[in-house]
């Protein structure tokens, strides 16, 4: 009996408490403010927290919830703490940033190594901490916790998994302030703004609320996920069974396969992927023979296959070297040693396209690279169709894009953290509904400030240039949404805009220059949050005055030290008919003069009003670009 009492006492003394999934080794907590630590335990269980030789005691409530408030700590560390029998090591205090949005926030450093590889491989900093919250959604209620995940600091080994935007932002902030930086990345590729907003904040959007209510049925969600998975599975099963390249006596990727009867085409391009101008679906095979000099035989090499729509598998001399399952990532593969031989070598690509418009995207790198030597893979390739398929329409639903779901699962559980501010890179998914974006984002910012304070700083990345270049379009969803983002930054306090109109790529919705995106966010943060007396943005349009056939534009003080230019592209004026025409423009001190020989009485000006206004060049002497804008309001 006494032994049983001893065991009971021992179990009670070391009863387990549970900590949130984001409270763990290597974490960073906000400096200079009281910090809440919290978790769960048995009802009425004592909780003891030891931090820096001080003990803090509390008791879990009847539902098992507990929390302890630590006094404000100066920047630095490392520290450790113990909660009952749980030890947490290597804690820093510094500035904690929430990074959210869709795929351009999610895009990892690994994708941009081709641009910044040397810098990334040489940089380590234990004062920058990062954690990525796994994808999750919930349509029933705000959740208390996230899936457990690990904090890491920046090393050449960990950096490839960081958000590239967040990585370069943190690096810049640390280098300028010396304060440790923490990054919680809660972003999901393709997500619209409404997925990140609470049910309460969406009350003025009845259609979105009803969409959320449809998803409250777990049975419905499960059924649609099963249907979607089954649809994709069956499509791929039939594709693979019918693919002549996989099912013939000799695989089409085999070394030495006889492809003399195949057709030829030029790559990159897509003319092979159409029939009577209609895009094809299915599997397509491509082969190219290249010559390798004898001094490169058996050497490893990097293989760049640009971007491919949609998925690919690549073979060199019959050896599989890499695959990518969807269209957006750059295809950067490694050819191992002893695969390439002197003389003729064969590159084979199996391309699968389930929903039309298959292509090798132009203006991307297609080459084999050795040290100080490269071989182009552009030009003539052999090709043959393996199987033609119907479009894979699918029966599933991307529930992570539905209203409220991401807020409940990936924002609400962060409510007890204290943040320095938020970095927001999103908008692509809402360009088709730009007219409601201001209201949505106002709701989102207000919603988040309800969690983290009315002065919570909020930094927006404006959408970059994208799609076919054009200096002017009469209507552009992307230009309209950029204008909304500009308006948000000008009308909601403690917000700022990082303009990226010069950082995009016409053929890639995920442009690779995330370094300058991070640096421009950091400029705005240094000015708004850290109080530095710097120019944080390019010229910000403020007002205009008509003088005959000219319109004179003025810009916000502090941003109006314009880079002199006798000819500025991207300006357009409209007359009484409301039709915009490209116009002449030049700087005149701190102003821009715009005129058109075709319009004697101009009524409005637009600047960089197109999906991809390549060449629009209004900047200030800080080297920062002006946001696209319209004088119409």
């Amino acid at each position: 009996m006494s032994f049983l009492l001893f065991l009971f006492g021992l179990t009670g003394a070391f009863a387990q408490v549970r900590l949130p999934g984001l409270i763990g080794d290597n974490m960073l907590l906000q400096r200079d403010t009281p910090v809440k630590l919290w978790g769960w335990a048995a009802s009425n269980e004592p909780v003891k927290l030891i931090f820096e030789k001080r003990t803090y005691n509390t008791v879990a409530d009847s539902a098992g919830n507990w929390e302890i408030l630590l006094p404000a700590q100066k920047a630095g560390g490392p520290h450790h703490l113990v909660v009952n029998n749980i030890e947490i090591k290597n804690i820093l205090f510094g500035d904690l940033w929430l990074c959210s949005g869709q795929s351009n926030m999610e895009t990892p450093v690994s994708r941009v190594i081709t641009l910044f590889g040397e810098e990334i491989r040489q940089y380590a900093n234990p004062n920058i901490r990062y954690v990525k919250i796994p994808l999750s959604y919930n349509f029933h209620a705000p959740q208390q916790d996230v899936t457990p995940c690990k904090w890491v600091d920046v090393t050449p080994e960990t950096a490839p998994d960081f958000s590239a935007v967040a990585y370069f932002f943190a690096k810049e902030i640390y280098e300028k302030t010396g304060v440790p930086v923490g990054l919680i990345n809660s972003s999901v590729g393709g997500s619209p703004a409404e997925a990140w907003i609470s049910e309460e904040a969406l009350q003025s959007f009845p259609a979105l609320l009803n969409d959320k209510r449809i998803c409250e049925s777990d049975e419905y969600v499960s059924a649609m996920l099963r249907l979607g998975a089954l649809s994709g599975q069956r499509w791929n099963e039939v594709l693979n069974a019918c693919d002549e390249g996989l099912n013939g006596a000799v695989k089409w990727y085999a070394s030495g396969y006889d492809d003399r009867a195949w057709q030829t085409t030029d790559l990159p391009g897509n003319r092979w992927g159409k029939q009577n101008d209609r895009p094809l679906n299915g599997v397509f095979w491509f082969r190219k023979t290249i010559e390798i000099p004898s001094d490169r035989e058996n050497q490893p090499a990097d293989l760049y296959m640009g971007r491919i729509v949609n998925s690919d598998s690549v073979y060199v001399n019959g050896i599989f070297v890499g695959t990518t399952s969807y269209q957006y990532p750059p295809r950067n593969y490694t050819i191992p040693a002893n695969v390439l031989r002197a003389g003729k070598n064969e590159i084979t690509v199996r391309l699968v396209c389930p929903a039309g418009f298959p292509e090798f995207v132009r203006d991307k790198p297609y080459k084999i690279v050795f040290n100080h030597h490269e071989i182009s893979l552009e030009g003539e390739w052999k090709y043959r169709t393996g199987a033609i398929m119907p479009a894979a329409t699918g029966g599933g639903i991307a529930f992570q894009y539905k209203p409220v779901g991401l807020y409940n699962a990936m924002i609400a559980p962060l409510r007890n953290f204290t943040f320095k501010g938020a970095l927001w890179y999103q908008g692509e998914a809402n360009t088709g509904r730009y007219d409601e974006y201001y209201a949505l984002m106002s709701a989102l910012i207000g919603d988040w400030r309800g969690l983290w304070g009315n002065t919570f700083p909020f930094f927006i990345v404006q959408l970059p240039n994208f799609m076919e270049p054009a200096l002017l379009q009469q209507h552009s969803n992307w230009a309209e949404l950029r204008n909304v983002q500009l308006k948000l930054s000008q009308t909601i306090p403690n917000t700022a805009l990082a303009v990226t109109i010069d950082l995009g790529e016409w053929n890639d919705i995920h442009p690779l220059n995330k370094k300058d995106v991070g640096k421009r966010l950091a400029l705005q943060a240094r000015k708004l949050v850290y109080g530095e007396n710097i120019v944080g943005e390019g010229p910000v349009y403020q007002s205009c005055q008509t003088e005959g056939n000219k319109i004179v534009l003025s810009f916000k003080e502090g941003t109006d030290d314009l880079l002199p230019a006798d000819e500025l592209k991207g300006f357009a004026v409209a007359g009484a008919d409301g039709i915009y025409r490209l116009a002449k423009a030049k700087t005149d001190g701190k102003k821009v003069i715009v005129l058109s020989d075709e319009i004697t009485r101009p009524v409005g000006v637009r600047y960089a009003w197109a999906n991809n206004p390549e060449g629009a060049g209004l900047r200030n002497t800080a080297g920062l670009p002006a946001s696209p804008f319209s004088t119409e309001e």
Side-chain angles (χ1 to χ4, degrees):
M1 182 67 176
S2 60
F3 179 68
L4 291 176
L5 288 173
F6 170 76
L7 284 180
F8 177 80
L10 188 66
T11 303
F14 292 97
Q16 289 282 341
V17 297
R18 183 167 69 86
L19 296 175
L22 281 170
I23 301 293
D25 293 347
N26 308 313
M27 68 179 176
L28 186 142
L29 300 173
Q30 183 59 43
R31 63 174 172 138
D32 299 338
T33 187
V35 169
K36 184 183 294 186
L37 293 171
W38 74 101
W40 304 273
S43 175
N44 301 315
E45 180 182 341
V47 177
K48 181 171 73 173
L49 187 151
I50 302 172
F51 177 77
E52 292 300 324
K53 300 180 180 179
R54 291 187 60 183
T55 299
Y56 304 82
N57 292 289
T58 190
V59 176
D61 64 20
S62 59
N65 301 298
W66 61 266
E67 62 181 53
I68 291 172
L69 198 65
L70 290 182
Q73 303 292 316
K74 293 186 180 300
H79 302 272
H80 79 280
L81 62 82
V82 177
V83 182
N84 284 19
N85 59 345
I86 302 174
E87 183 179 11
I88 302 174
K89 302 181 290 292
N90 195 26
I91 303 165
L92 284 185
F93 285 85
D95 288 338
L96 183 60
W97 293 86
L98 174 59
C99 311
S100 190
Q102 57 181 109
S103 53
N104 269 304
M105 179 59 78
E106 201 171 30
T107 297
V109 166
S110 59
R111 284 209 202 168
V112 305
I113 281 181
T114 51
L115 284 184
F116 309 110
E118 196 62 29
E119 175 181 351
I120 293 162
R121 285 188 286 268
Q122 292 183 0
Y123 188 72
N125 190 339
N127 291 304
I128 296 177
R129 304 291 175 84
Y130 175 84
V131 64
K132 175 69 165 70
I133 297 177
L135 168 64
S136 183
Y137 51 83
N138 188 286
F139 300 106
H140 297 294
Q143 299 300 289
Q144 299 299 311
D145 200 7
V146 299
T147 304
C149 38
K150 291 184 178 180
W151 289 83
V152 295
D153 56 77
V154 173
T155 68
E157 293 71 35
T158 61
D161 293 329
F162 279 51
S163 156
V165 168
Y167 172 89
F168 288 113
F169 169 84
K171 186 177 178 184
E172 186 78 4
I173 290 295
Y174 181 79
E175 289 176 357
K176 298 300 181 183
T177 68
V179 175
V181 179
L183 306 161
I184 295 181
N185 181 4
S186 185
S187 58
V188 174
S191 55
E194 59 267 22
W196 299 100
I197 305 174
S198 72
E199 182 172 3
E200 292 73 21
L202 282 179
Q203 291 304 308
S204 58
F205 298 90
L208 295 177
L209 279 182
N210 287 335
D211 196 7
K212 180 260 184 189
R213 289 171 182 137
I214 291 171
C215 300
E216 290 174 4
S217 167
D218 293 338
E219 180 183 6
Y220 165 72
V221 171
S222 296
M224 295 307 294
L225 290 174
R226 286 196 304 272
L227 179 61
L230 179 60
S231 175
Q233 176 186 327
R234 286 297 299 146
W235 194 90
N236 281 294
E237 287 173 350
V238 172
L239 173 83
N240 292 332
C242 297
D243 182 1
E244 295 181 45
L246 293 181
N247 296 291
V250 180
K251 304 289 191 294
W252 289 359
Y253 58 79
S255 180
Y257 172 80
D258 184 358
D259 59 16
R260 286 177 295 176
W262 287 27
Q263 295 176 276
T264 61
T265 190
D266 285 333
L267 295 181
N270 64 357
R271 66 182 179 87
W272 46 269
K274 299 177 183 178
Q275 188 174 59
N276 299 324
D277 288 328
R278 294 192 305 273
L280 296 173
N281 303 289
V283 58
F284 309 88
W285 290 80
F286 303 84
R287 288 174 62 91
K288 187 177 183 69
T289 300
I290 60 170
E291 290 281 339
I292 297 293
S294 58
D295 62 344
R296 306 290 173 182
E297 184 173 26
N298 295 325
Q299 289 189 18
D302 294 319
L303 172 63
Y304 296 91
M305 286 304 302
R307 273 188 51 236
I308 296 174
V309 181
N310 275 74
S311 64
D312 60 275
S313 298
V314 182
Y315 304 82
V316 178
N317 294 332
I319 305 298
F320 173 76
V321 297
T323 185
T324 305
S325 62
Y326 64 114
Q327 64 173 298
Y328 293 117
R331 272 54 173 181
N332 303 335
Y333 303 130
T334 298
I335 302 175
N338 303 316
V339 171
L340 293 171
R341 54 195 179 227
K344 296 186 182 300
N345 292 257
E346 297 136 1
I347 313 293
T348 306
V349 179
R350 181 181 187 252
L351 184 158
V352 175
C353 188
F357 304 101
E359 69 171 321
F360 290 75
V361 176
R362 290 178 289 126
D363 292 344
K364 292 291 181 179
Y366 296 85
K367 58 188 178 181
I368 293 176
V369 178
F370 303 89
N371 287 332
H372 312 298
H373 182 77
E374 63 182 52
I375 299 171
S376 173
L377 297 178
E378 295 191 16
E380 186 175 282
W381 284 65
K382 297 286 189 72
Y383 82 97
R384 185 175 177 184
T385 301
I388 295 297
M389 294 286 291
T393 55
I397 293 174
F399 286 101
Q400 67 268 34
Y401 301 158
K402 292 299 184 180
V404 182
L406 297 180
Y407 173 88
N408 280 350
M410 297 178 66
I411 294 296
L414 311 181
R415 63 174 70 87
N416 286 328
F417 280 98
T418 301
F419 290 99
K420 195 71 171 178
L423 312 179
W424 175 257
Y425 195 158
Q426 191 277 336
E428 299 92 335
N430 288 89
T431 53
R433 295 179 286 125
Y434 63 83
D435 54 328
E436 66 178 9
Y437 195 68
Y438 185 89
L440 279 171
M441 286 304 300
S442 298
L444 184 148
I445 294 170
D447 209 15
W448 290 18
R449 286 181 172 172
L451 297 178
W452 298 302
N454 291 331
T455 59
F456 178 66
F458 195 92
F459 295 91
I460 300 166
V461 180
Q462 192 180 55
L463 293 186
N465 48 312
F466 177 53
M467 294 178 277
E468 291 287 345
L471 278 174
L472 172 66
Q473 292 173 260
Q474 294 300 319
H475 180 75
S476 161
N477 287 356
W478 279 60
E480 294 280 4
L481 193 126
R482 290 187 197 111
N483 202 43
V484 173
Q485 292 175 317
L486 176 63
K487 183 180 176 183
L488 286 163
S489 70
Q490 293 175 327
T491 57
I492 299 179
N494 290 314
T495 62
L497 187 69
V499 175
T500 64
I501 196 62
D502 58 332
L503 301 182
E505 300 176 33
W506 77 267
N507 58 2
D508 202 333
I509 201 169
H510 305 117
L512 297 184
N513 186 0
K514 295 296 191 282
K515 180 175 181 177
D516 283 326
V517 179
K519 292 182 74 170
R520 289 179 188 176
L521 282 167
L523 276 175
Q524 291 284 39
R526 288 167 58 196
K527 184 176 178 66
L528 182 65
V529 173
Y530 295 96
E532 292 189 46
N533 184 21
I534 58 173
V535 178
E537 57 196 335
V540 177
Y541 166 73
Q542 192 164 58
S543 63
C544 66
Q545 183 175 347
T546 303
E547 298 178 359
N549 69 336
K550 302 176 182 178
I551 293 184
V552 180
L553 304 174
S554 298
F555 299 86
K556 176 183 172 184
E557 185 177 359
T559 72
D560 58 350
D561 188 9
L562 304 182
L563 195 66
D566 292 328
E567 181 182 354
L568 286 168
K569 295 181 179 180
F571 284 90
V573 298
D577 61 2
I579 297 174
Y580 280 85
R581 296 170 176 84
L582 286 175
K584 301 174 184 177
K586 65 178 183 178
T587 59
D588 183 13
K590 293 189 174 184
K591 300 184 185 300
V592 170
I593 299 174
V594 186
L595 63 93
S596 169
D597 296 334
E598 301 177 55
I599 299 173
T600 56
R601 295 184 178 179
V603 298
V605 172
R606 284 179 175 175
Y607 170 69
W609 201 267
N611 296 330
N612 182 6
E614 190 176 87
L618 177 61
R619 293 174 180 266
N620 55 20
T621 55
L624 298 170
S627 166
F629 63 85
S630 172
T631 61
E632 295 177 283
E633 285 298 341

